[in-house]
Amino acid sequence: MQTLYITHPECRLHEMGAWHPESPFRLDAISDQLISSGLQALLDEREAVPAQEADILRVHTPSLLAGLRRLSPVQGYAEIDPDTLMNPHTLAAAFAAAGAGITAVDAIMDGQASTAFCAVRPPGHHARPGQAMGFCFFNNLAVTAAYTLEKYGFKRIAIIDFDVHHGNGTEEMFAGDSRILMCSFFQYPLFPNVYAENPGPNMVNVAVPPHSDSAALRDIVESRWMPRLEAFEPEFVFVSAGFDGHRDDMLGQLDMTEADYAWITEKLVDLADRSAQGRIVSFLEGGYDLSALGRSVAAHIKALAKL
């Protein structure tokens, strides 16, 4: 079966100003790389069905949703924080991005695919239950995980986050939930500059110093993530796929390459094949050097699709 590639036109219309690194050109860079590499023809591209209000409210507060609706501008921009702004398309894009994972899960559970990549923006892993922040409005992965737990009754879901930044929103939503095992590494200190040594027994979130290299990060995957993941035996795997740890990306200071993203993905595919009937849904998070982003996503999708 082909890997699903899920996106939505509204995700291209959300933008926060010409100066902003989280721009619509990120999706263009990915699409261009998939076309030039020949991968696009091998994927099953679908349009996301936007999330419903009830989907958002499984993990977010009513006050967050009401506040975003109130702030949504008719024209121009509305500032959430100095780095996070809304334009007239942002709210629709956020609902579409949050619905992409749900679209993927339903298709996978219907037997139409086993893996999916959600090429969506705004990203999600910094969004807290009651706060939009860090370019994020709704926590796309968390919305999907909560939906999957409720609708399909899974007891064990793994969340992997290899973005250079700490997925603080996801951690806050699921710390202490025995149905979730979250594994990540992230540069520290770096935005959002929050790190708890022991946030919950179901969290394996490892802070690493700037300029950590491939060998150090692969060792964390092998020695810290994989033993916990193998013991957990997840029934579904979700990935916050941020590519801003690439050595060419100026928003972070890790020394990763596209080969590292492919290697991590291959590890997750093998895990999912053994315990989750191959089920993986991956969500675009960070990645701001356009060339590095396109190459890294292509390597990730190629490994996801076993090509």
Side-chain angles (χ1 to χ4, degrees):
M1 291 182 287
Q2 291 176 303
T3 290
L4 302 177
Y5 182 83
I6 299 179
T7 188
H8 193 281
E10 289 288 351
C11 294
R12 182 67 180 72
L13 298 177
H14 160 65
E15 54 85 24
M16 296 183 282
W19 59 274
H20 206 290
E22 206 293 280
S23 76
F25 296 118
R26 300 176 66 228
L27 296 182
D28 297 341
I30 292 169
S31 180
D32 289 348
Q33 184 65 37
L34 294 179
I35 292 169
S36 65
S37 66
L39 281 174
Q40 186 182 55
L42 304 176
L43 302 175
D44 181 355
E45 183 168 347
R46 302 190 184 186
E47 186 171 302
V49 177
Q52 300 296 309
E53 180 174 314
D55 300 320
I56 303 302
L57 294 178
R58 288 190 186 94
V59 294
H60 289 291
T61 63
S63 62
L64 170 73
L65 185 54
L68 292 176
R69 283 177 166 154
R70 183 177 65 254
L71 289 171
S72 183
V74 175
Q75 60 183 9
Y77 301 101
E79 184 178 292
I80 303 297
D81 62 44
D83 294 321
T84 309
L85 298 89
M86 302 181 74
N87 81 345
H89 298 277
T90 297
L91 196 57
F95 272 99
I102 292 174
T103 303
V105 166
D106 284 344
I108 288 170
M109 295 305 296
D110 193 42
Q112 299 172 37
S114 58
T115 59
F117 180 76
C118 300
V120 294
R121 46 181 301 280
H125 73 154
H126 293 308
R128 303 175 63 206
Q131 181 184 9
M133 62 178 289
F135 313 166
C136 305
F137 298 88
F138 300 142
N139 194 313
N140 307 321
L141 186 152
V143 167
T144 303
Y147 170 87
T148 305
L149 288 167
E150 180 175 307
K151 181 168 183 179
Y152 295 104
F154 287 118
K155 295 179 172 58
R156 297 182 308 280
I157 288 179
I159 295 173
I160 311 299
D161 188 330
F162 52 70
D163 193 280
V164 74
H165 302 96
H166 181 195
N168 61 300
T170 312
E171 179 179 273
E172 182 177 348
M173 288 169 174
F174 293 121
D177 188 333
S178 63
R179 302 169 298 173
I180 300 288
L181 175 65
M182 181 178 176
C183 297
S184 77
F185 56 69
F186 55 91
Q187 182 182 324
Y188 185 82
L190 188 67
F191 179 89
N193 291 312
V194 292
Y195 171 54
E197 285 284 349
N198 296 293
N202 64 323
M203 297 282 145
V204 188
N205 296 336
V206 184
V208 301
H211 306 296
S212 295
D213 62 11
S214 172
L217 298 172
R218 291 191 187 204
D219 181 67
I220 289 169
V221 174
E222 291 274 25
S223 66
R224 303 284 297 275
W225 290 8
M226 295 312 298
R228 289 290 302 273
L229 288 165
E230 288 165 2
F232 187 65
E233 296 183 327
E235 299 167 294
F236 217 122
V237 176
F238 293 121
V239 183
S240 272
F243 301 95
D244 39 6
H246 196 285
R247 63 188 179 191
D248 293 341
D249 199 302
M250 293 299 101
L251 264 68
Q253 294 171 299
L254 297 186
D255 295 328
M256 298 180 72
T257 68
E258 46 267 46
D260 295 314
Y261 295 116
W263 181 84
I264 293 172
T265 308
E266 288 164 2
K267 289 283 186 183
L268 300 178
V269 167
D270 180 62
L271 172 74
D273 283 347
R274 286 184 280 115
S275 72
Q277 298 180 34
R279 294 184 288 249
I280 303 178
V281 176
S282 179
F283 301 77
L284 179 64
E285 298 284 2
Y288 306 100
D289 181 275
L290 297 181
S291 177
L293 174 64
R295 300 193 313 270
S296 298
V297 171
H300 175 60
I301 289 177
K302 188 174 181 180
L304 201 62
K306 301 181 183 178
L307 295 172

